[in-house]
């Protein structure tokens, strides 16, 4: 094993060690009084029950695909798929388990001080973040090390790595979508009946959906996000390694160095992210967001500094073969990746923070009614796509001019290398949301609730900005996967004697090719179709909750009077069944669409045209998926914080007609920002991964020569 590969594995283990230390630190904090612990236990039970049923369902799908991969490829590919699947599931499951134990401790910490509440909430988020980064890096690095130990070389190294990425993507889309349907079904249903119809506060214990809402925060925002970023991290590193192996296929030594490079970058950035977590401290200004940014900036600056010695160590700063670019150019590309990350986070905060024009404009629109709130929220969502698109375009042009497609790949790798810190910022959100709910339900002092509200308001922003980062990196990562797809086709076509299926295959991606145009149109429609399916799923799940809450209020007047307790468990159970049922069909869309398109096009026009159509489909998915994802997540975040802005006493405050209009907007925005929008980035990469699997399957399966 090379020193670089050993370094990457050790860094992955350091992330796990940090996670273990942080878990012990969080769990050593007080869990509050008996009532607080009772509420927290109910949330824990509900979250565990949901995830167990979700992963049982996903496992059934995973077993089928494992067998298919075993038959089509070999045990190495199938085993790598299993590794990616299990680790992706584990990242989400562990994150959830930490989150549901940290929430009550954050509420108790908030009783002591704002600083204490922030410390516990962020540390719990950092556990999820470092475990995601550590498990993703270890999964790829150890798989790669085992393959090398087995003597696997060249092309045979690629397929297992792609299989690992496929496993991570498959699990994450189920986790993100299923968790998103659950959490928004509870949130929307609970708000519509509780806040609007019954006129009771958020997290009021009289609302039968209140426990389901808190459960949803953990299974959707925490477990779902963890699986999502695990997949993004793993798939991006794999895509970069695949691209390197194809680019430098003629030079085994250089190919080995370039495949190792992204792993070492990831390892170094884990160290810098761990250091950054210790800088998240509340200063004299009591600025919570400022404390968060302090940790992120430290991690980013240290990563930029570490990138130079890492590059010099693994590939050197001089010219790389006859590529026309040098190690120094790749270093610059890594810096561009860090700059793009910072800019995407900054832009997303601008559009989702209560401090700035976009959110306040949505709140102001609420003063004239429900309709004007929705109109303005949609407008802000669409407006928010412009600057991120320009940033991404500038990043692509800059890195491509420096080092071609490898430059883009290294920039995205460096972006994702900060995933540990970014997930920490995101996972902080559901913990503070739950802490506020526990404070309300346990009837804690008003001052405690003010503290948890302050922590939660920042959590709404951090959840939004990290989604912007995830979507931007997904778009760039998918571009790398597209590059890997096209280079893979070139490889098989150039070696047609070894791969007879590709004999005579010529792939033309020119826009004058009608099959390319068809592929673009087909790919462009898929994010809209997926978005419609996932939004409909949330609507149906929310409808189930609305009917249940109304029924309990009607059948038991003692609930509103406070003389009897609502049946929280029944609401959680109903929503669990609805979410599991609703997630299946949308999740299979990105798996089946590339396969169906390929074989339909083969039947109509031939192999070359079919491969061109699939490639064009990927570009269509990337473009429309990117815009839809940004619009949905940012618009939803703006709606959410516009409601918070009104609830803080502005424009009439709680209970006013403005507040009711803001709730309607938030109800629309919830599935946008927490279900459809974030699921879109997984859709993009999963379709890319499936497309990347098609060519090697066909190349190695002589039975399909008839096509």
């Amino acid at each position: 094993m090379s020193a670089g590969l050993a370094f990457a594995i050790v860094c992955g283990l350091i992330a796990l060690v940090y996670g273990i230390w942080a878990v012990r630190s969080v769990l050593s904090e007080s869990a509050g009084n008996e009532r607080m612990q009772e509420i927290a236990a109910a949330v824990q039970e509900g979250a565990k029950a949901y995830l167990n049923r979700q992963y049982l369902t996903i496992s059934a799908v995973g077993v089928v695909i494992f067998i298919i991969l075993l038959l089509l490829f070999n045990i190495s590919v199938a085993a790598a798929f299993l590794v990616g699947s299990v680790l992706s599931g584990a990242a989400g499951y562990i994150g959830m388990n930490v989150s549901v134990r940290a929430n009550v401790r954050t509420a108790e910490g908030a009783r002591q001080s704002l600083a204490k509440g922030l410390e516990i909430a962020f540390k719990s988020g950092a556990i999820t973040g470092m475990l995601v980064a550590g498990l993703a890096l270890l999964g790829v690095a150890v798989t790669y090390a085992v393959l090398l130990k087995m003597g696997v070389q060249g092309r045979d190294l690629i397929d297992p790595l792609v299989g690992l990425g496929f496993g991570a993507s498959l699990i994450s889309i189920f986790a993100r979508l299923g968790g998103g349907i659950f959490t928004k079904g509870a949130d929307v249903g609970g708000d519509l009946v509780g806040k609007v119809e019954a006129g009771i506060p958020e997290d009021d214990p009289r609302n039968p959906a209140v426990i389901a809402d808190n459960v949803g925060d953990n299974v959707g925002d925490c477990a779902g996000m963890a699986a999502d970023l695990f997949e993004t991290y793993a798939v991006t590193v794999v895509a970069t390694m695949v691209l390197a192996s194809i680019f430098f296929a003629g030079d085994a030594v250089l190919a080995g160095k370039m495949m190792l490079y992204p792993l070492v970058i990831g390892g170094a950035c884990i160290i810098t992210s761990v250091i950054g977590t210790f800088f998240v401290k509340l200063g004299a200004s009591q600025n919570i967001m400022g404390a968060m940014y302090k940790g992120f900036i430290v991690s980013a600056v240290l990563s930029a500094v570490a990138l130079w010695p890492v590059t010099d160590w693994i590939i050197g700063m001089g010219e790389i073969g006859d590529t026309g670019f040098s190690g120094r150019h790749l270093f610059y590309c890594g810096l561009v990746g860090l700059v793009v990350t910072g800019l995407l986070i900054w832009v997303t905060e601008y559009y989702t923070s209560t401090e700035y024009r976009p959110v306040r404009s949505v709140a102001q629109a609420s003063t004239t009614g429900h309709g004007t709130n929705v109109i303005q929220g949609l407008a802000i969502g669409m407006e928010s796509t412009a600057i991120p698109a320009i940033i991404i375009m500038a990043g692509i042009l800059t890195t491509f001019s420096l080092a071609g497609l490898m430059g883009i790949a290294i920039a995205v790798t460096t972006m994702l290398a900060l995933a540990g810190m970014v997930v920490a910022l995101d996972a902080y959100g559901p913990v503070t949301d739950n802490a506020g709910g526990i404070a309300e339900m346990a009837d804690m002092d008003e001052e405690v609730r003010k503290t948890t509200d302050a922590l939660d308001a920042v959590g709404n922003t951090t959840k939004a900005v990290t989604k912007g980062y995830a979507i931007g990196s997904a778009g760039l990562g998918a571009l790398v996967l597209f590059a890997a797809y096209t280079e893979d086709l070139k490889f098989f076509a150039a070696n047609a004697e070894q791969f007879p299926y590709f004999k005579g295959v010529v792939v033309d991606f020119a826009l004058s090719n009608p099959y390319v145009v068809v592929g673009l149109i087909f790919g462009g429609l898929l994010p809209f179709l997926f978005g419609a399916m996932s939004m409909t799923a949330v609507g149906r799940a929310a409808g189930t909750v609305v009917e249940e809450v109304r029924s309990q209020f009607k059948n038991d007047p003692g609930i509103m009077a406070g003389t009897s307790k609502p049946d929280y468990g029944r609401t959680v159970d109903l929503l669990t069944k609805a979410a599991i049922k609703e997630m299946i069909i949308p999740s299979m869309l990105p798996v089946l669409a590339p396969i169906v398109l390929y074989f339909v096009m083969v039947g109509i026009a031939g192999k070359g045209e079919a491969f061109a159509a699939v490639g064009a489909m990927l570009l269509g998915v990337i473009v429309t998926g990117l815009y839809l994802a940004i619009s949905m997540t940012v618009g939803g975040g703006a709606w959410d914080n516009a409601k918070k802005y009104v609830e803080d006493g502005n424009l009439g405050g709680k209970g006013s007609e403005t507040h009711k209009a803001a709730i309607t907007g938030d109800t629309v925005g919830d599935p946008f920002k927490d279900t459809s929008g974030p699921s879109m980035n997984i859709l993009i990469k999963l379709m890319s991964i499936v497309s990347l699997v098609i060519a090697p399957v066909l190349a190695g399966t002589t039975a399909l020569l008839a096509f």
Side-chain angles (χ1 to χ4, degrees):
M1 185 185 298
S2 68
L5 189 53
F7 172 79
I9 292 172
V10 168
C11 290
L13 291 172
I14 288 172
L16 300 190
V17 170
Y18 172 88
I20 293 168
W21 167 80
V23 166
R24 295 183 66 177
S25 175
V26 169
L27 294 183
S28 68
E29 300 287 347
S30 171
N33 58 42
E34 187 177 342
R35 175 59 179 157
M36 293 167 66
Q37 292 181 42
E38 181 188 336
I39 297 165
V43 174
Q44 291 174 33
E45 184 182 348
K48 186 178 179 181
Y50 173 78
L51 278 194
N52 286 344
R53 288 168 73 167
Q54 176 179 266
Y55 283 132
L56 186 64
T57 305
I58 299 171
S59 298
V61 178
V63 168
V64 173
I65 293 177
F66 175 86
I67 294 169
I68 292 171
L69 290 175
L70 187 61
L71 295 173
L72 293 177
F73 287 99
N74 51 52
I75 187 63
S76 297
V77 175
F81 167 82
L82 186 63
V83 169
S85 302
V86 170
L87 290 181
S88 180
Y93 204 87
I94 295 169
M96 179 277 296
N97 272 290
V98 172
S99 178
V100 294
R101 285 163 175 78
N103 50 21
V104 67
R105 289 167 171 82
T106 300
E108 179 63 18
R111 193 201 298 268
Q112 301 177 40
S113 67
L114 181 64
K116 188 65 177 178
L118 171 63
E119 178 193 340
I120 297 171
F122 177 77
K123 191 177 287 182
S124 70
I127 295 166
T128 303
M130 294 308 157
L131 286 178
V132 164
L135 288 173
L137 183 62
L138 280 173
V140 179
V142 172
T143 299
Y144 183 54
V146 170
L147 290 169
L148 291 177
K149 185 72 174 176
M150 292 167 60
V152 179
Q153 297 178 348
R155 175 73 217 180
D156 292 334
L157 275 172
I158 296 176
D159 293 338
L161 292 174
V162 172
L164 187 149
F166 182 31
S169 293
L170 185 72
I171 298 304
S172 69
I173 196 162
F174 279 104
R176 177 55 109 173
L177 191 57
I181 293 169
F182 186 104
T183 184
K184 294 305 105 180
D187 203 354
V188 171
D191 279 1
L192 285 177
V193 185
K195 284 186 180 180
V196 177
E197 294 180 8
I200 58 178
E202 186 172 8
D203 297 316
D204 191 301
R206 290 173 292 178
N207 193 329
V210 71
I211 295 295
D213 188 11
N214 282 274
V215 168
D217 290 333
N218 295 285
V219 300
D221 292 337
C222 190
M225 180 65 173
D228 181 352
L229 262 297
F230 175 94
E231 177 262 353
T232 302
Y233 191 116
V235 167
T236 301
V237 171
V238 164
T240 305
M241 294 175 74
V242 169
L243 202 58
S245 71
I246 298 170
F247 267 17
F248 303 100
D251 188 334
V253 175
L254 187 54
K257 289 180 178 180
M258 292 303 298
M259 289 181 75
L260 184 60
Y261 186 42
L263 294 174
V264 179
I265 290 175
C269 290
I270 280 177
I271 303 299
T272 61
S273 294
V274 168
I275 295 170
T277 63
F278 293 99
F279 285 82
V280 179
K281 300 287 184 184
L282 204 61
S285 65
Q286 299 288 286
N287 187 328
I288 303 170
M289 200 71 208
M292 299 286 212
Y293 276 153
K294 194 189 307 176
F296 177 80
I297 291 168
V298 167
S299 297
V301 171
L302 290 178
S303 296
V305 172
L307 195 58
W308 180 274
V310 163
T311 305
D312 191 36
W313 176 32
I314 300 300
I315 56 176
M317 290 299 180
E319 292 292 320
I320 300 174
D322 58 356
T323 59
F325 58 82
S326 65
R328 184 177 282 103
H329 289 127
L330 291 179
F331 165 74
Y332 295 147
C333 290
L335 293 184
V336 171
L338 293 174
V339 171
V340 168
T341 298
L343 289 174
L344 286 174
I345 287 176
W346 172 75
V347 171
T348 312
E349 185 197 0
Y350 171 73
Y351 275 99
T352 57
S353 172
T354 56
E355 301 298 316
Y356 305 111
R357 173 193 63 85
V359 167
R360 294 191 176 191
S361 73
V362 178
Q364 185 63 45
S366 305
T367 61
T368 50
H370 301 252
T372 47
N373 168 283
V374 172
I375 291 170
Q376 185 62 17
L378 289 170
I380 290 296
M382 287 187 277
E383 178 193 316
S384 70
T385 61
I387 300 176
I390 293 169
I391 293 169
I392 291 169
M393 286 188 291
I396 290 171
L397 292 175
T398 304
T399 52
F400 187 82
S401 66
L402 287 168
L405 290 172
M406 277 306 303
I408 298 173
I410 295 304
V412 185
T413 298
T414 310
M415 285 181 71
L416 265 301
L418 291 174
M421 176 56 74
V422 172
V423 176
L425 295 177
D426 186 271
Y428 158 93
V431 173
T432 56
D433 196 350
N434 271 200
I438 290 170
E440 179 74 32
M441 286 184 280
D443 199 26
M444 297 176 74
D445 293 342
E446 186 65 26
E447 285 302 311
V448 176
R449 184 65 206 221
K450 283 182 180 178
T451 301
T452 58
D453 280 350
L455 293 168
D456 184 31
V458 171
N460 283 332
T461 302
T462 61
K463 285 190 290 185
V465 300
T466 52
K467 287 185 179 77
Y469 157 88
I471 291 161
S473 61
L476 286 167
L479 187 61
V480 176
L481 285 165
F482 172 75
Y485 172 80
T486 57
E487 293 299 319
D488 224 14
L489 291 180
K490 291 178 185 177
F491 171 81
F492 287 120
N495 296 274
E497 292 183 1
Q498 185 180 350
F499 307 104
Y501 186 86
F502 287 84
K503 190 174 182 179
V505 172
V506 178
V507 184
D508 176 18
F509 285 112
L511 287 175
S512 57
N513 182 351
Y515 298 99
V516 169
V517 176
V518 167
L520 282 169
I521 294 172
F522 181 69
L525 76 83
L526 289 173
F528 286 92
L529 179 60
F530 179 81
M533 293 167 74
S534 53
M535 289 288 289
T536 301
V538 171
R540 282 198 291 257
T544 302
V545 176
V546 166
E547 290 174 1
E548 173 62 18
V549 174
R550 283 174 178 169
S551 174
Q552 290 201 33
F553 280 156
K554 182 181 178 181
N555 296 329
D556 187 357
I559 293 175
M560 287 299 291
T563 57
S564 60
K565 285 186 177 181
D567 190 341
Y568 302 121
R570 193 167 73 183
T571 309
V572 171
D573 187 60
L574 282 170
L575 192 52
T576 297
K577 291 175 181 174
I580 298 293
K581 177 185 174 184
E582 296 288 353
M583 76 177 183
I584 301 294
I585 294 176
S587 297
M588 295 309 296
L589 178 67
V591 177
L592 298 175
I595 299 170
V596 171
L597 177 65
Y598 177 80
F599 284 108
V600 168
M601 287 297 144
V602 165
I604 294 173
K607 300 173 189 175
E609 288 77 7
F611 282 121
V614 171
M617 176 202 69
L618 296 182
L619 287 178
V621 168
I622 292 169
V623 173
T624 60
L626 186 66
Y627 284 122
L628 262 181
I630 294 172
S631 177
M632 283 179 162
T633 53
V634 174
W639 263 313
D640 194 348
N641 271 347
K643 180 195 69 175
K644 294 286 185 188
Y645 183 73
V646 175
E647 289 176 345
D648 286 341
N650 301 293
L651 304 173
K654 289 184 179 180
S656 65
E657 290 302 313
T658 300
H659 184 221
K660 291 179 181 178
I663 292 170
T664 297
D666 182 41
T667 301
V668 177
D670 269 341
F672 270 38
K673 72 178 174 70
D674 288 328
T675 308
S676 293
S679 297
M680 210 67 72
N681 62 19
I682 309 173
L683 171 90
I684 295 169
K685 295 191 298 298
L686 181 53
M687 291 187 70
S688 302
I689 283 283
V690 172
S691 301
L692 199 56
V693 169
I694 290 174
V697 166
L698 295 172
T701 309
T702 55
L704 294 173
L705 287 174
F707 284 92

